[in-house]
Amino acid sequence: MTYASREEKEEYEKEKKFEWSNANVLHVSIANVFFSLLCAGLLSLSKDVDKFKFVFKISRKTFNYICSLVKEHMTAKTANFMFSNGNPMSINDQVAIALRRLSSGDSLIAVADSFGTNHSTVSQVTWRFVEAMEEKGIHHLQWPSTEQEMAVVKSKFEKIRGLPNCCGAIDTTHITMLLSSSEMASNVWLDREKNRSMILQAIVDSEMRFRDVVTGWPGKMNDFDVLQRSTLFKLCEKGERLNGNKIRLSEGTELSEYIVGDLGFPLLPWLVTPYQGKDLSDPKAEFNKRHFATRMVAQRAMARLKENVEDYSRSDVETRQE
Ligand SMILES: *[C@@H]1O[C@H](CO)[C@@H](O)[C@H](O)[C@H]1NC(C)=O
Ligand SMILES: *[C@@H]1O[C@H](CO)[C@@H](O)[C@H](O)[C@H]1NC(C)=O
């Protein structure tokens, strides 16, 4: 590796250190970007071998849509990016560079060379894109904001198997990652099944819509650890979420809002888990059946998402091997 100047070398090394210490941050960002795209139904993978798809693995229509999503955010900041030959970089150029960097795992230098720019520009453009996507991603994921909207969610949950006042189903899944060889050496991502994976925790509504998502925690963490670190947990504990209408049960007791989750989660005032143990009484066994049927929406939503993610990784591998 040769550098034009000492400054350039220093900057490159700074960037490398930054990249290394921020490996987690980068993974969280990638996860969020992909997740946003998946939720928006944008990451469908066509098998067509159109050149554009080959490079970016998305259709031109999707590419244009992504550009329109991030345009406002990316032009709001003042820096004007340029190619090495002095030509200005359009938003489309910047998105193309960022997507290449995020999806190929190629080094900053390799991406910079292939686009005719330098590594520091690639790095800045990529982070700006990630920021813009995260801002837009939130737009696709929204906790029901009004009592009326929540009432619709609750009534649809109740229709599944009769659980009243249920607002969501929580589940956690592991997304296996493709890592560079330096990251393979680290055990941070090793999960219980000895795969390298990242955790995705999601709360899904009665129609399999994602309402709250946490991504990017290493696969070795358990479900409760991830939950405790989430904003949702903090809001619920402060009484600022799942604090809507209570319902009066026949015995005169009140039932506040809650979500349902499996035994990987703790039983909390706002998180209802199944009864544990063998030889449960009939009402308890019946409750568990209903609970299971209700939380299936989350498992199905996760399975659907995972298929997409894994399709994505596979296509990435195939592309790289060619
Ligand atoms: C990278 O390219 C940009 C635009 O051409 C230039 O302003 C910047 O100084 C370059 N940085 C390095 C480290 O070469
Ligand atoms: C983990 O790896 C094993 C084989 O090594 C595989 O059978 C299993 O499906 C993997 N788990 C996940 C969650 O990908």
Side-chain angles (χ1 to χ4, degrees):
M1 184 76 224
T2 54
Y3 300 92
S5 65
R6 221 187 88 211
E7 287 73 35
E8 192 180 329
K9 181 168 187 288
E10 278 169 6
E11 190 175 337
Y12 174 67
E13 284 175 351
K14 211 165 66 198
E15 176 69 37
K16 257 186 87 171
K17 265 190 221 123
F18 174 80
E19 262 189 280
W20 180 246
S21 62
N22 282 279
N24 291 8
V25 179
L26 186 64
H27 279 300
V28 173
S29 304
I30 293 171
N32 287 345
V33 169
F34 288 159
F35 190 80
S36 306
L37 296 174
L38 284 167
C39 284
L42 290 176
L43 212 66
S44 58
L45 296 152
S46 157
K47 302 275 179 270
D48 285 2
V49 195
D50 158 339
K51 187 149 186 284
F52 196 80
K53 281 176 191 150
F54 175 77
V55 178
F56 299 110
K57 295 169 229 85
I58 51 176
S59 69
R60 182 170 286 276
K61 193 167 155 225
T62 302
F63 178 79
N64 289 341
Y65 180 68
I66 295 173
C67 292
S68 74
L69 280 181
V70 297
K71 188 170 181 165
E72 200 184 333
H73 186 96
M74 289 180 75
T75 44
K77 303 251 179 98
T78 47
N80 288 317
F81 293 113
M82 282 185 302
F83 288 106
S84 305
N85 63 11
N87 288 342
M89 261 181 206
S90 66
I91 288 295
N92 288 26
D93 295 329
Q94 294 176 38
V95 170
I97 290 171
L99 285 174
R100 170 74 75 86
R101 168 83 175 121
L102 292 171
S103 65
S104 69
D106 290 345
S107 71
L108 287 173
I109 303 264
V111 176
D113 284 350
S114 69
F115 281 92
T117 178
N118 62 35
H119 61 269
S120 92
T121 304
V122 171
S123 168
Q124 290 175 48
V125 162
T126 305
W127 283 106
R128 188 163 298 182
F129 172 75
V130 166
E131 266 171 35
M133 279 307 298
E134 286 183 346
E135 194 171 278
K136 285 295 168 184
I138 293 166
H139 158 92
H140 294 297
L141 291 178
Q142 255 172 17
W143 194 255
S145 57
T146 61
E147 289 281 353
Q148 291 95 308
E149 197 188 344
M150 190 55 105
V152 173
V153 170
K154 291 182 194 177
S155 98
K156 288 186 176 155
F157 264 119
E158 189 162 355
K159 281 203 188 103
I160 299 175
R161 278 303 278 282
L163 293 194
N165 225 29
C166 175
C167 299
I170 187 169
D171 199 11
T172 304
T173 194
H174 287 248
I175 294 181
T176 319
M177 301 191 298
L178 287 171
L179 293 173
S180 62
S181 46
S182 55
E183 287 168 315
M184 285 301 275
S186 135
N187 285 338
V188 178
W189 304 99
L190 265 192
D191 60 28
R192 264 168 292 171
E193 293 179 46
K194 301 270 181 274
N195 298 328
R196 285 181 170 75
S197 67
M198 178 168 67
I199 292 179
L200 184 126
Q201 172 195 284
I203 298 172
V204 169
D205 73 13
S206 37
E207 296 193 308
M208 285 168 67
R209 268 192 305 252
F210 287 89
R211 294 299 197 155
D212 184 279
V213 165
V214 175
T215 52
W217 291 103
K220 70 174 178 193
M221 282 173 66
N222 71 39
D223 295 355
F224 187 28
D225 285 339
V226 175
L227 175 65
Q228 276 184 307
R229 285 166 168 79
S230 66
T231 306
L232 174 105
F233 184 87
K234 287 165 194 150
L235 290 174
C236 290
E237 290 291 296
K238 277 195 286 188
E240 291 171 11
R241 184 160 286 179
L242 295 172
N243 56 349
N245 289 342
K246 296 180 180 183
I247 57 164
R248 202 173 289 277
L249 297 174
S250 49
E251 313 91 81
T253 51
E254 279 191 328
L255 180 64
S256 45
E257 292 183 338
Y258 62 94
I259 55 176
V260 286
D262 65 23
L263 287 169
F265 296 99
L267 177 63
L268 298 168
W270 48 268
L271 203 174
V272 176
T273 54
Y275 288 105
Q276 278 190 71
K278 286 178 201 160
D279 303 323
L280 292 174
S281 64
D282 288 349
K284 287 183 178 176
E286 176 61 23
F287 174 84
N288 276 2
K289 269 191 215 156
R290 290 170 181 241
H291 187 279
F292 180 80
T294 308
R295 66 174 202 268
M296 275 303 285
V297 285
Q299 283 176 23
R300 281 206 302 270
M302 291 290 210
R304 193 171 63 176
L305 180 74
K306 227 172 152 175
E307 274 167 27
N308 290 340
V309 172
E310 285 173 3
D311 271 358
Y312 179 82
S313 327
R314 258 198 302 282
S315 83
D316 199 29
V317 173
E318 283 160 15
T319 311
R320 274 200 261 170
Q321 281 166 348
E322 279 175 47

